[in-house]
């Protein structure tokens, strides 16, 4: 079978954002759009020729069609072998697991994560490198540069590959192995956590939980791990049937979008534990009885208690958090005497630190936690970690977190998102803040004294690469902070994220309502950035 060389012209705007290229499905459906981006991957990642590639996605609308395109192009570009999840399915952490386990040259992950799916909604594609992690900025920039000059792509004229049956097929001289999407990942989880202890917790009759798969990719993973292997009662996994449009919802595990689950953890008959994951399975939300664990606190609690879990028995080497994530983890690292890193938003910035063995756990405020077991954040991993802790500590979620606050203090935290605002206004708002920065240190705002104000830049401690303009940080004496950044994953206008944090040492003041306790700081942020005047929004779209 001879490869065909098809002439093409560049498309505007194929620069990957925080996590790959995300656009409306309609944009991806334009003839040549997906092909150009995929060819740019093959043109720049030359180790794929003669190598092995992992391909899979979160099962959203257009996943299957895109995979067929990628398989044909992989064959025409000389890839020797592709491992593809059955049904085209691989959660993001499972894709990372498979890339690492089989030492492949990389993978293509198809997902727009927590963004809605369907013909009018979002699709996405990203390249993961041989370490299993999202490609570094230098790689994504090279891919982007190639999309701007591309004039042809290579493909084969052949029938679709049957993705629904495990086994080996061929396209030209390329081998396609359809693999079980769950097995390798489930085995990895079993090697990290005390499945016996969790099994006993489920068997005790004293513990009730639900996992909300939000009709997204984790359905089959959670059924296999929680219900089949760990013996949780049938029905523990809710919304477990994966759907191309996620049942019409936002597969985003937060208080706003997982309301049914949240309701089950509240009131007199509340469950002991609730958890949810997102479209592609890398995010997690953790709930206890009448209790929400902020992702920033979750990272800190996991870091502080890692030694109680088999996979981390030897302790952790270091911790990293994205810049807007609360500083709760920093306090744990300090107490443990290990390094703590502050990185820009996006999992790709953790890769070098993990590869170099400088950190063991890392996380983001956006419901992302993970460790050196893969190179992506991992939703079910976090859920199993919490279950393992609950099983060995025999305490409630709320008790574990309260105990943590008593020891380390509490970092109150909230994020206010203003979605789909006008891009020019959003850029203007950020520019306005940048101009204010030099005058802020020393100023007192609502009783808080500014200790520093900057536009966050990061120098990677391993390879020395520099990433600038990663968000505006305003730090106050005593540890409070306000951070402003624009989202790099949205597909409509701009999304302004305002992150707020304040530190409270006194245990007598650890049970305040977050929004109320943070009201003065919230006001400072709104006024400083002139949010209402510049965006026309009197209130945020989503508060988490
Ligand atoms: C958001 C989150 C960021 C996360 C990214 C990808 O990015 O804030 O922490 O890494 O999504 O997560 P942004 O640029 O929109 O703030 V996922 O689960 O969408 O792959
Ligand atoms: Co995700």
């Amino acid at each position: 079978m001879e490869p065909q060389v098809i002439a093409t012209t560049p498309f505007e705007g194929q620069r990957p954002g925080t996590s790959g290229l995300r656009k409306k499905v309609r944009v991806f459906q334009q003839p040549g759009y997906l092909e150009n981006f995929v060819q740019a991957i093959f043109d720049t990642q030359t180790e794929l020729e003669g190598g092995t590639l992992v391909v899979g996605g979160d099962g959203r609308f257009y996943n299957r069609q895109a995979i067929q395109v990628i398989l044909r192009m992989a064959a025409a570009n000389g890839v020797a072998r592709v491992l593809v999840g059955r049904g085209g399915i691989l959660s993001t952490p499972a894709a990372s697991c498979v890339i690492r386990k089989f030492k492949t040259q990389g993978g293509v992950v198809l997902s727009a994560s927590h963004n809605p799916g369907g013909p009018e909604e979002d699709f996405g594609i990203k390249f993961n490198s041989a370490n299993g992690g999202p490609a570094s900025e230098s790689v994504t920039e090279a891919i982007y540069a190639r999309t701007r000059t591309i004039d042809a792509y290579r493909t084969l004229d052949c029938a679709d590959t049957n993705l629904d049956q495990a086994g080996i097929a061929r396209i030209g001289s390329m081998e396609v192995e359809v693999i079980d999407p769950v097995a390798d990942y489930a085995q990895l989880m079993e090697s990290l956590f005390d499945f016996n202890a969790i099994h006993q917790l489920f068997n005790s009759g004293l513990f009730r939980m639900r996992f909300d798969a939000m009709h997204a990719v984790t359905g089959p993973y959670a059924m296999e791990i929680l219900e089949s292997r760990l013996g949780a009662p049938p029905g523990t996994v809710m919304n477990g049937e994966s759907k191309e449009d996620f049942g019409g919802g936002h597969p985003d595990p937060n208080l706003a979008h997982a309301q049914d689950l949240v309701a089950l953890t509240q009131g007199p008959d509340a469950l002991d534990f609730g958890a949810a994951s997102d479209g592609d399975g890398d995010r997690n939300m953790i709930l206890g009885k009448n209790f929400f664990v902020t992702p920033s606190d979750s990272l800190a609690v996991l870091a502080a208690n890692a030694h109680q879990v088999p996979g981390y028995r030897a302790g952790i080497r270091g911790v990293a958090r994205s810049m807007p994530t609360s500083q709760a983890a920093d306090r744990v690292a300090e107490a443990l005497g290990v390094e703590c890193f502050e990185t820009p938003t996006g999992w790709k910035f953790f890769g070098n630190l993990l590869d170099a063995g400088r950190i063991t756990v890392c996380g983001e405020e956006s419901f992302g936690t993970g460790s050196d077991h893969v190179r992506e954040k991992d939703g079910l991993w976090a859920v199993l970690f919490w279950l393992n802790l609950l099983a060995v500590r025999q305490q409630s979620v709320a008790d574990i977190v309260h105990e943590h606050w008593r020891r380390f203090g509490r970092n109150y935290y909230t994020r206010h998102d203003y979605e789909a605002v006008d891009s020019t206004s959003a850029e203007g708002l950020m520019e306005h803040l940048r101009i204010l920065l030099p005058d802020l240190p020393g100023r007192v705002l609502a009783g808080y004294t500014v200790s520093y104000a900057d536009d966050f830049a990061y120098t990677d401690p391993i390879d020395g690469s520099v990433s600038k303009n990663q968000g505006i940080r305003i730090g106050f004496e005593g540890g409070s902070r306000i951070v402003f950044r624009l989202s790099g994953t949205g597909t409509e206008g701009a999304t302004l994220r305002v992150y707020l944090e304040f530190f409270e040492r006194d245990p007598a003041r650890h049970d305040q309502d977050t929004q109320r306790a943070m009201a003065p700081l919230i006001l400072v942020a709104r006024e400083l950035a002139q949010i209402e005047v510049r965006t026309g929004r009197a209130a945020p779209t989503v508060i988490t």
Side-chain angles (χ1 to χ4, degrees):
M1 216 182 295
E2 278 303 300
Q4 300 178 330
V5 178
I6 313 278
T8 187
T9 50
F11 287 89
E12 283 286 302
Q14 291 200 321
R15 173 181 257 143
T18 312
S19 184
L21 182 67
R22 293 187 187 168
K23 301 282 177 196
K24 292 285 171 207
V25 166
R26 295 272 181 237
V27 174
F28 272 102
Q29 283 172 328
Q30 299 170 83
Y33 191 90
L34 173 67
E35 289 85 348
N36 279 13
F37 190 78
V38 172
Q39 188 62 47
I41 296 175
F42 289 124
D43 286 349
T44 53
Q45 309 308 302
T46 48
E47 68 281 6
L48 295 174
E49 194 176 338
T52 301
L53 181 72
V54 172
V55 179
D58 64 10
R60 69 179 58 227
F61 183 83
Y62 204 55
N63 191 51
R64 283 174 175 268
Q65 292 91 321
I67 289 180
Q68 298 294 348
V69 168
I70 294 164
L71 291 179
R72 287 190 190 84
M73 290 184 64
N77 280 281
V79 172
R81 185 164 171 248
V82 169
L83 303 177
V84 55
R86 191 178 52 238
I89 295 295
L90 278 175
S91 76
T92 293
S96 186
C97 162
V98 172
I99 293 169
R100 294 172 67 77
K101 182 169 178 177
F102 299 103
K103 301 192 167 43
T104 76
Q105 278 63 46
V108 173
V109 181
L110 303 162
S111 172
S113 190
H114 54 290
N115 294 5
E120 303 302 329
E121 300 295 351
D122 292 358
F123 192 71
I125 176 169
K126 70 173 174 176
F127 178 68
N128 280 29
S129 305
N131 74 346
S136 66
E137 275 203 328
S138 59
V139 170
T140 57
E141 281 301 303
I143 294 171
Y144 172 57
R146 181 64 190 135
T147 66
R148 292 165 51 106
T149 57
I150 198 153
D151 58 5
Y153 64 84
R154 295 162 77 84
T155 186
L156 286 181
D157 185 13
C158 64
D160 280 358
T161 305
N162 179 1
L163 299 177
D164 292 311
Q165 226 167 359
I168 294 176
R170 286 198 163 275
I171 302 180
S173 57
M174 184 179 83
E175 189 180 291
V176 181
E177 184 172 352
V178 177
I179 61 169
D180 179 332
V182 178
D184 298 303
Y185 177 82
Q187 197 183 18
L188 177 60
M189 293 302 113
E190 216 160 341
S191 76
L192 295 173
F193 300 111
D194 187 344
F195 271 36
N196 283 332
I198 302 174
H199 201 288
Q200 277 171 26
L201 179 70
F202 287 148
N203 264 345
S204 67
L206 301 169
F207 181 80
R208 293 186 308 141
M209 76 162 280
R210 290 278 184 288
F211 174 84
D212 189 350
M214 304 190 88
H215 290 302
V217 79
T218 49
Y221 293 85
M223 299 270 215
E224 170 63 23
I225 295 171
L226 297 175
E227 296 191 10
S228 301
R229 298 197 186 199
L230 288 167
T236 296
V237 178
M238 56 193 268
N239 301 319
E241 189 195 335
S242 308
K243 294 186 177 167
E244 284 198 331
D245 67 348
F246 309 120
H250 274 255
D252 197 355
N254 61 33
L255 297 175
H257 293 306
Q259 282 175 6
D260 293 349
L261 176 74
V262 174
L264 290 171
T265 61
Q266 289 174 346
D269 193 34
L271 300 171
D272 300 292
F273 186 65
S277 190
D278 71 331
D280 62 330
D282 57 359
R283 297 186 177 204
N284 72 90
M285 175 168 68
I286 302 293
L287 300 162
K289 193 178 280 213
N290 297 304
F291 196 85
F292 164 65
V293 185
T294 70
S296 296
D297 277 345
S298 182
L299 172 65
V301 169
L302 300 190
N305 294 284
H307 59 283
Q308 300 185 7
V309 165
Y312 308 92
R313 198 66 88 203
I316 57 172
R317 292 201 175 136
V319 185
R321 62 164 173 82
S322 68
M323 182 273 279
T325 304
S326 99
Q327 298 159 102
D330 305 32
R331 298 178 186 279
V332 174
E334 202 188 331
L336 295 176
V338 298
E339 283 188 290
C340 181
F341 299 88
E342 180 173 50
T343 59
T345 294
W347 213 260
K348 59 188 165 203
F349 294 102
F350 295 134
N352 278 348
L353 294 167
L354 290 164
D355 286 349
R358 296 279 287 272
I359 58 169
T360 305
V361 293
C362 45
E364 297 189 279
E365 50 64 43
S366 54
F367 298 82
T369 4
S371 85
D372 57 1
H373 70 292
V374 289
R375 293 293 180 274
E376 290 278 5
K377 55 186 183 274
D378 190 343
L380 267 168
W381 170 88
V383 174
L384 292 167
F385 204 131
W386 269 96
L387 285 170
N388 199 150
L389 286 183
L390 295 174
V392 298
R393 294 183 51 149
Q394 301 281 318
Q395 280 175 298
S396 70
V397 172
D399 285 350
I400 290 177
V401 178
H402 275 108
E403 202 175 300
H404 185 92
W405 290 339
R406 277 197 295 278
R407 182 167 167 211
F408 297 99
R410 175 172 183 187
N411 291 72
Y412 278 93
Y413 190 84
T414 187
R415 183 175 105 184
H416 288 197
D417 289 333
Y418 297 80
E419 293 176 348
V421 300
D422 174 69
S423 297
T424 316
S425 313
E427 294 290 348
L429 181 149
M430 293 300 284
E431 197 42 44
H432 157 74
L433 285 169
R434 265 181 218 113
I435 293 166
L436 286 183
L437 289 175
D439 295 329
L440 287 178
R443 265 181 67 184
V444 182
L445 306 166
Y448 296 93
T449 308
V450 178
S451 54
Y452 66 90
D454 64 8
D455 191 347
F456 182 58
Y458 177 67
T459 304
D460 186 297
I462 311 301
D463 67 16
S465 58
V466 178
S467 305
K468 292 187 174 153
N469 301 323
Q470 297 298 319
I472 304 284
R473 297 192 298 184
I474 302 173
F476 300 91
E477 283 170 12
S480 296
R481 286 196 314 169
I482 303 175
V483 171
F484 299 90
R485 48 176 293 282
L486 298 184
S487 158
T489 59
T491 59
E492 251 178 272
T495 292
L496 169 68
R497 304 201 195 285
V498 187
Y499 312 80
L500 303 120
E501 138 176 48
F502 99 91
F503 180 67
E504 179 61 68
R505 164 70 66 196
D506 181 5
R509 301 170 63 84
H510 283 170
D511 280 312
Q512 305 172 69
D513 173 74
T514 299
Q515 298 304 316
R516 203 168 308 147
M518 302 194 74
L521 214 51
I522 293 170
L523 198 66
V524 168
R526 291 179 56 81
E527 287 181 352
L528 209 57
Q530 304 176 341
I531 294 178
E532 187 162 0
V533 183
R534 289 177 176 274
T535 68
R537 301 290 177 82
T541 325
V542 179
I543 296 180
T544 43

